[in-house]
Amino acid sequence: MNVRLKNCLLFVLAIFMSVFAVTVLYSATVYKTDYADYTTYGTGDLGLKALYLLTGKCGFRVSRYHYPVKFLRDNPVMVAYCPAGSVFNDNEEKNGLRNWLNNGNTLVVILDHRNIDNLWIFDYISENRRWYETENAGNITITWYGLENGVICVLDSADRFLNKNISDNTGAAVAFINVLARINNPKVVFNEYYRFMQKPAPGLWDLIGHTGQLIVIQLVTVVLLVVIRGWKTFGRVRGDREMTKRAENEIVMALADLYQKEKAYSLVLSNYYGRFVRRYGGYLRTAGYVRDKALPLLNECEYYLRTGDLSKKKLKEIVLGLQKLELEISNRNQRQRKE
C-alpha cells in the first residue's frame, strides 16, 4: 500500500473516530439542552433529575426510555411520572402496557389530583385487581395493586418529587426508594415517552444493546486497522518478512526475576528439590555412593522447606550442591555405559 493511500485512510479513520466521539457525546446528553420540565433531564425546579440520580446512587441500574412499551424487553421496573393522557391512553399503548403487565412486570406511577381521573389504568385496575394495600411514608401515600400477574404501585403528591421539593422533609425520596427496594428489581427505567420525549421505534443500533454496540465498534476498528496497516501477526516488526524470535529463555528469566523480587526462596528450593527427587528417586532408594552423598543435602532442603528460614545465600549453596551432585551422577552413568 503506497504512502498516499495510507495517509488517506488514516485521515478517514480520524474523521470516523471524531464523528463517533461526537455521536457518543450527543447520545449521552440528548435532550439536556432543552431541560424539559417534569422529566429526568430537567435540572430546574420542575425537573426530576434529582430523583433519577438518587435512584442510581442507591444501587439501581437506572436508565431512560423513549419508545412505546411494546419494545421494552429487559423486564425492568418502569416509572411513569404524571403520564400525559394523550400518549398514555393511546389504544396501541394500552394494549402494549396490558401485555407488559401480564408478563409479571411492575409499573410505578407518580400522580397528583390533576390527572388521576384522566388515565385508563384505573379502570383496568378496578376490573383486574386481585388485592391492594395502602401505606404511608411521610406525606406520601403509596397504594399497591396486585393484578393476576403484574403489579401497579401508585404514589400521590407528584409535586413533592420535583427537584425543588425532594430535599424537603416530605418523605418523597424515602418513599420512592422504599418502593423500589420492596419490588427488588435492580433495573429501573424512567419512561420519558409519556412526557413527550419520544422516538417512534428503536433503531437497529438501539436494539442490539450496549454489548452489540461495543462488538460493532471493535469490528469496525479492526477492519480499518487491517486495511491501513495490512494483516500481520502480532509481535512481528514492521517491514520484517520473517517472524521475530523471542529472546531465548525469556520466560524463565522473567520468572526468576519475579521470584527474586518477591524473595520466594522457599518456592525456588521446592522446585529444585522436587525435580531432583523425581528424577533420581531410584538412586536415593538404593544404598550406595549417590545416596550417602545426597541424603545430608536433601535433609537440609527439607529442613529449610519446613521452617521457611532461608536466605538467598543459603539457597545458592544448596542449589549449587544439587547441581554438582546431579553432574556427578550423570558422569557416573556415562562411565558405566562405556564399560
Side-chain angles (χ1 to χ4, degrees):
M1 188 180 296
N2 59 47
V3 176
R4 179 176 296 179
L5 181 57
K6 283 186 178 181
N7 291 336
C8 180
L9 290 175
L10 284 172
F11 177 76
V12 172
L13 178 61
I15 294 295
F16 169 79
M17 297 305 291
S18 299
V19 171
F20 172 72
V22 172
T23 302
V24 171
L25 182 62
Y26 173 76
S27 65
T29 58
V30 64
Y31 304 126
K32 285 187 178 180
T33 54
D34 295 333
Y35 297 120
D37 292 339
Y38 308 109
T39 71
T40 58
Y41 294 101
T43 57
D45 289 345
L46 301 181
L48 294 169
K49 186 66 174 288
L51 186 64
Y52 179 83
L53 295 177
L54 174 66
T55 306
K57 291 292 185 181
C58 289
F60 296 94
R61 298 203 301 270
V62 62
S63 59
R64 302 176 174 99
Y65 191 71
H66 304 90
Y67 309 104
V69 71
K70 64 182 179 181
F71 296 112
L72 189 58
R73 295 289 182 266
D74 291 338
N75 298 323
V77 177
M78 182 166 68
V79 180
Y81 181 87
C82 294
S86 59
V87 181
F88 192 76
N89 295 335
D90 178 76
N91 287 331
E92 186 175 358
E93 190 64 18
K94 282 190 205 177
N95 294 330
L97 194 54
R98 286 194 194 100
N99 294 332
W100 185 77
L101 287 168
N102 287 335
N103 288 330
N105 293 301
T106 301
L107 172 66
V108 177
V109 187
I110 304 175
L111 299 172
D112 61 16
H113 64 280
R114 290 168 293 185
N115 62 352
I116 197 168
D117 297 326
N118 299 325
L119 303 178
W120 68 273
I121 195 71
F122 291 100
D123 293 333
Y124 178 73
I125 290 173
S126 64
E127 296 171 2
N128 296 276
R129 79 181 185 191
R130 297 293 184 268
W131 57 269
Y132 82 95
E133 64 180 73
T134 302
E135 58 183 294
N136 293 315
N139 297 328
I140 306 300
T141 300
I142 306 169
T143 307
W144 297 88
Y145 299 99
L147 309 178
E148 184 175 356
N149 291 313
V151 175
I152 298 175
C153 177
V154 179
L155 291 83
D156 68 351
S157 305
D159 286 347
R160 299 184 188 276
F161 294 87
L162 297 173
N163 293 337
K164 66 178 180 179
N165 298 323
I166 199 169
S167 62
D168 297 338
N169 189 21
T170 61
V174 175
F176 184 74
I177 297 303
N178 285 344
V179 165
L180 297 182
R182 174 172 171 175
I183 297 170
N184 195 27
N185 187 334
K187 294 178 288 188
V188 179
V189 296
F190 283 78
N191 193 314
E192 302 295 354
Y193 184 81
Y194 296 149
R195 295 303 314 169
F196 304 108
M197 304 188 77
Q198 306 167 356
K199 298 178 183 179
L204 178 60
W205 184 253
D206 298 304
L207 288 174
I208 63 177
H210 295 300
T211 303
Q213 293 167 3
L214 180 61
I215 293 174
V216 171
I217 293 170
Q218 290 175 334
L219 288 175
V220 171
T221 303
V222 168
V223 170
L224 287 173
L225 291 175
V226 168
V227 171
I228 294 171
R229 192 185 186 281
W231 183 260
K232 290 183 179 293
T233 307
F234 290 110
R236 184 177 295 185
V237 178
R238 183 186 295 273
D240 285 355
R241 298 195 177 188
E242 301 293 335
M243 290 293 293
T244 302
K245 295 179 66 176
R246 309 293 292 265
E248 189 175 359
N249 296 328
E250 178 184 22
I251 297 177
V252 175
M253 294 170 64
L255 188 59
D257 184 60
L258 179 62
Y259 283 163
Q260 180 173 330
K261 288 182 178 179
E262 295 298 323
K263 296 184 179 180
Y265 303 137
S266 296
L267 180 59
V268 176
L269 179 59
S270 176
N271 291 336
Y272 271 101
Y273 172 77
R275 175 182 174 278
F276 186 88
V277 171
R278 288 193 301 271
R279 188 168 184 179
Y280 301 105
Y283 293 97
L284 302 177
R285 289 189 295 269
T286 305
Y289 170 79
V290 175
R291 180 180 178 183
D292 294 340
K293 193 165 185 178
L295 282 180
L297 190 57
L298 295 180
N299 289 335
E300 194 174 9
C301 290
E302 292 177 358
Y303 168 78
Y304 284 112
L305 289 176
R306 186 171 60 254
T307 62
D309 185 19
L310 181 64
S311 65
K312 182 177 180 181
K313 180 179 179 181
K314 190 62 182 178
L315 173 64
K316 288 182 177 180
E317 292 178 3
I318 295 175
V319 170
L320 289 175
L322 290 174
Q323 291 176 344
K324 183 177 179 181
L325 185 57
E326 187 174 2
L327 181 60
E328 290 182 12
I329 295 173
S330 178
N331 292 335
R332 286 172 64 87
N333 288 339
Q334 290 179 5
R335 287 197 301 269
Q336 288 177 0
R337 283 196 295 269
K338 288 180 179 179
E339 294 175 356

